[in-house]
Amino acid sequence: QVQLVESGGGLVQAGGSLRLSCAVSGRTFNSYAMGWFRQAPGKEREFVAVISGNGGIRYYADSVKGRFTISRDNAKNTVYLQMNSLKPEDTAVYYCAAEKAISTVVDRVDYWGQGTQVTVSS
């Protein structure tokens, strides 16, 4: 049983920054890879970033590489997504994900958060 709660979404101007947080319940947090996915209106949910259980491995979608940074604090059972140089095309609902094995594939996510809206205005 893993519960994930995202926070930190909001409305920002293009070029601005946001930091999303995902608080995870359970003592087994360190055993899960943690990821971020997003879904824009009319589009399928897509991979954004993922981090391994010990934080040693990180993968990013090409569309966010160099702008977004995923990190985790296992002592706080929290994963973060720092988003810089935001673009209007980053507008989406962002979902936190827990994975028993690190993956960039939506269908292999084991647990999802409820999502948080990120809107980037031009």
Side-chain angles (χ1 to χ4, degrees):
Q1 297 82 10
V2 178
Q3 297 181 29
L4 301 83
V5 180
E6 302 98 331
S7 62
L11 173 64
V12 298
Q13 294 181 331
S17 298
L18 282 174
R19 188 180 73 164
L20 306 183
S21 299
C22 176
V24 183
S25 66
R27 297 180 179 179
T28 60
F29 177 72
N30 295 4
S31 299
Y32 289 89
M34 298 296 301
W36 290 94
F37 296 75
R38 67 188 183 186
Q39 188 166 20
K43 300 189 68 175
E44 294 186 346
R45 193 167 299 186
E46 66 177 3
F47 167 74
V48 176
V50 68
I51 185 169
S52 61
N54 66 1
I57 302 172
R58 295 175 172 88
Y59 298 123
Y60 297 93
D62 288 343
S63 59
V64 306
K65 192 173 299 181
R67 299 188 297 120
F68 291 10
T69 302
I70 189 170
S71 62
R72 67 191 296 161
D73 185 341
N74 286 351
K76 297 183 179 296
N77 282 18
T78 303
V79 62
Y80 306 94
L81 185 68
Q82 178 67 46
M83 304 184 294
N84 298 327
S85 301
L86 283 162
K87 305 173 181 179
E89 52 262 45
D90 295 317
T91 295
V93 176
Y94 283 71
Y95 296 90
C96 184
E99 306 169 338
K100 295 177 182 178
I102 190 167
S103 175
T104 64
V105 179
V106 168
D107 290 347
R108 295 183 180 178
V109 171
D110 292 291
Y111 301 97
W112 292 102
Q114 85 287 352
T116 186
Q117 177 70 47
V118 172
T119 303
V120 184
S121 64
S122 60

